[in-house]
Amino acid sequence: MATINENYLKLKAGYLFPEIARRVNAFAQSNPNAPIIKLGIGDVSEPLPEACLTAMIKAVEEMGGRASFKGYGPEQGYTWLREKIAAQDFQARGCDIDASEIFISDGSKCDTGNILDIFGKNNTIAVTDPVYPVYVDTNVMAGHTGVSNDDGKYEGLVYIPINAENNFTAAIPTQKVDLIYLCFPNNPTGAVATKEHLQAWVDYAKANGSIIFFDAAYEAFITDPSLPHSIYEIPGAKDCAIEFRSFSKNAGFTGTRCALTVVPKSLTAKAADGSDVELWKLWNRRQSTKFNGVSYVVQRGAEAVYSEAGKAQIKALISFYLENAKIIREKLTGAGLQVYGGVNAPYVWVKTPNGLSSWDFFDKLLQTCNVVGTPGSGFGAAGEGYFRISAFNSRENLEEAMKRITEKFKV
Ligand code: MLT
């Protein structure tokens, strides 16, 4: 008789975003004329940059010619893309990252889950609270946790609260943890990490033999020049951090799929016999076995992000979404709501008005304004009483949504 992975039974309900989609679809079915505006999942609305599009069209044509056709590419990604990333995203910022340490993939979401393949079962794992739910759920699936309590917190995970009281700064744990997930600019709160803050984390990780999983999917939204874009800008990080990046939010590749993971060759973790094992070798082995690389066409599209035209177009896209975030902040603040984030990030983190719970506010907003956001409690217990509004939508939709919200929720 076949049996299941029992860990899946520990998971709470559905994954957050499909659960929201389910509720929105149910509402839309009973209210077919409701003009719903979605500011929930951080999915981009603007079309691909012209430079990426042109590169991909050319690549598709190459695939149609016998001489230029490409079959399987390298599992790690094409060298011409990895070299551009190494030079422009890392070396240009003083980070000593080599192209061979960059692995191209189809998404940071997948990689932040897949990375657990190369780590042991008995690591103590720390996450912030609130947190991008993928980090928690993939650890539950892998059997790294116990069951969840009434607050939705899983036994065995160390939760580090980030909230208004601590200025959304993830405090260094007083206990020893082995794997730490950090995401800055932060999803969902839109908070940022300074160099000093990340240095404290790197120092902690090095002192404790821990590995930091640094999710930099939103780094392109950093406008403050004092803030680090990569954890490798911090001395010592190459010995204790893996970084995840994505083309989803800067170049609008949510539907195109391309991302990258940096595993420095200097990074090691312990084997059972106490020896140090290079994580690069394990990840390379994992990717070569379980992954056949991102399509040639998509990698050519990603390469165009680094062209002069691509860089200018991406700058314009980011500015557009950041202006949306500014409008959200200004309108909601004007209506008396307390807001955070949205300055170096595409997410605005809103305190729910009148003491409403996150899901109650979600329902009210959907029913009275036909606007969809994301309930803060969906990101963890400490997100209760907050609500995330995404800046990813057209200006017209965004302004209309703000008009509806501010009319109904003046406090
Ligand atoms: C989000 O809304 O948090 C993101 O879109 C999720 C993701 O990038 O997978």
Side-chain angles (χ1 to χ4, degrees):
M1 178 76 78
T3 60
I4 58 153
N5 175 352
E6 293 280 327
N7 296 310
Y8 277 66
L9 304 181
K10 298 178 197 160
L11 291 165
K12 288 170 284 119
Y15 179 59
L16 177 62
F17 294 106
E19 173 60 20
I20 290 172
R22 193 187 61 73
R23 292 188 187 217
V24 173
N25 289 341
F27 176 80
Q29 260 176 13
S30 6
N31 302 273
N33 297 323
I36 296 173
I37 299 176
K38 294 185 182 167
L39 302 175
I41 189 165
D43 192 3
V44 293
S45 57
E46 303 309 295
L48 290 173
E50 187 66 36
C52 301
L53 193 67
T54 310
M56 283 195 273
I57 291 170
K58 181 165 171 280
V60 168
E61 280 165 0
E62 283 178 57
M63 294 299 267
R66 179 162 295 280
S68 48
F69 170 77
K70 303 277 184 299
Y72 291 127
E75 296 90 354
Q76 301 79 357
Y78 284 100
T79 307
W80 36 260
L81 175 57
R82 298 165 86 198
E83 280 174 350
K84 289 198 176 66
I85 295 169
Q88 297 195 32
D89 282 343
F90 296 102
Q91 292 157 11
R93 291 191 179 277
C95 311
D96 178 22
I97 294 295
D98 185 72
S100 62
E101 298 174 307
I102 293 166
F103 293 80
I104 307 300
S105 79
D106 60 347
S108 287
K109 175 179 174 176
C110 325
D111 275 2
T112 54
N114 292 339
I115 197 76
L116 295 175
D117 272 12
I118 65 167
F119 287 93
K121 295 273 175 224
N122 296 320
N123 288 304
T124 306
I125 293 151
V127 293
T128 61
D129 183 11
V131 68
Y132 179 41
V134 171
Y135 312 153
V136 171
D137 288 4
T138 53
N139 274 290
V140 177
M141 291 169 176
H144 297 168
T145 72
V147 293
S148 64
N149 65 16
D150 292 346
D151 274 352
K153 287 187 173 175
Y154 288 92
E155 266 171 23
L157 289 185
V158 175
Y159 289 89
I160 303 168
I162 48 171
N163 50 40
E165 286 70 51
N166 61 23
N167 204 19
F168 299 99
T169 303
I172 306 295
T174 46
Q175 71 193 100
K176 192 173 171 320
V177 298
D178 304 307
L179 302 177
I180 304 141
Y181 291 83
L182 294 178
C183 171
F184 289 106
N186 187 249
N187 179 14
T189 64
V192 292
T194 61
K195 283 190 176 150
E196 294 70 31
H197 181 209
L198 289 187
Q199 185 71 64
W201 272 108
V202 167
D203 292 347
Y204 169 88
K206 287 192 67 167
N208 289 283
S210 331
I211 301 285
I212 299 171
F213 296 151
F214 190 72
D215 186 346
Y218 300 94
E219 62 76 32
F221 294 85
I222 294 175
T223 49
D224 178 342
S226 74
L227 295 172
H229 287 243
S230 166
I231 194 153
Y232 304 118
E233 289 177 54
I234 311 302
K238 267 190 80 176
D239 301 326
C240 64
I242 290 175
E243 182 163 305
F244 303 92
R245 286 204 180 194
S246 171
F247 293 98
S248 285
K249 315 291 160 124
N250 60 348
F253 273 37
T254 51
T256 306
R257 311 305 306 150
C258 198
L260 60 115
T261 291
V262 186
V263 185
K265 290 189 172 154
S266 49
L267 207 54
T268 63
K270 293 281 179 206
D273 65 4
S275 60
D276 291 315
V277 178
E278 283 174 44
L279 292 172
W280 183 94
K281 284 192 179 152
L282 300 190
W283 184 246
N284 190 51
R285 184 71 172 82
R286 191 259 174 220
Q287 291 299 83
S288 315
T289 306
K290 293 195 178 182
F291 188 56
N292 255 336
V294 174
S295 85
Y296 172 72
V297 173
V298 168
Q299 289 193 63
R300 280 295 184 202
E303 183 192 28
V305 164
Y306 299 93
S307 64
E308 287 314 309
K311 281 189 272 191
Q313 289 157 15
I314 275 151
K315 200 162 168 233
L317 265 179
I318 299 284
S319 305
F320 172 79
Y321 290 127
L322 282 177
E323 182 62 24
N324 276 358
K326 185 164 173 246
I327 294 170
I328 300 172
R329 286 176 55 86
E330 286 175 358
K331 293 286 178 196
L332 298 188
T333 307
L337 289 158
Q338 179 71 54
V339 304
Y340 304 92
V343 177
N344 294 281
Y347 297 127
V348 179
W349 190 238
V350 185
K351 184 92 196 95
T352 58
N354 312 320
L356 285 172
S357 78
S358 299
W359 277 110
D360 283 349
F361 188 57
F362 172 89
D363 288 334
K364 264 207 155 49
L365 215 55
L366 179 59
Q367 282 153 19
T368 60
C369 304
N370 301 154
V371 173
V372 180
T374 310
S377 56
F379 298 100
E384 182 53 271
Y386 288 92
F387 198 75
R388 194 191 74 177
I389 298 194
S390 151
F392 294 114
N393 212 316
S394 66
R395 184 63 45 78
E396 191 188 355
N397 277 350
L398 189 105
E399 282 177 340
E400 172 62 21
M402 289 308 113
K403 184 164 154 284
R404 293 188 206 160
I405 298 176
T406 50
E407 275 167 8
K408 294 275 187 231
F409 286 95
K410 233 179 169 55
V411 283

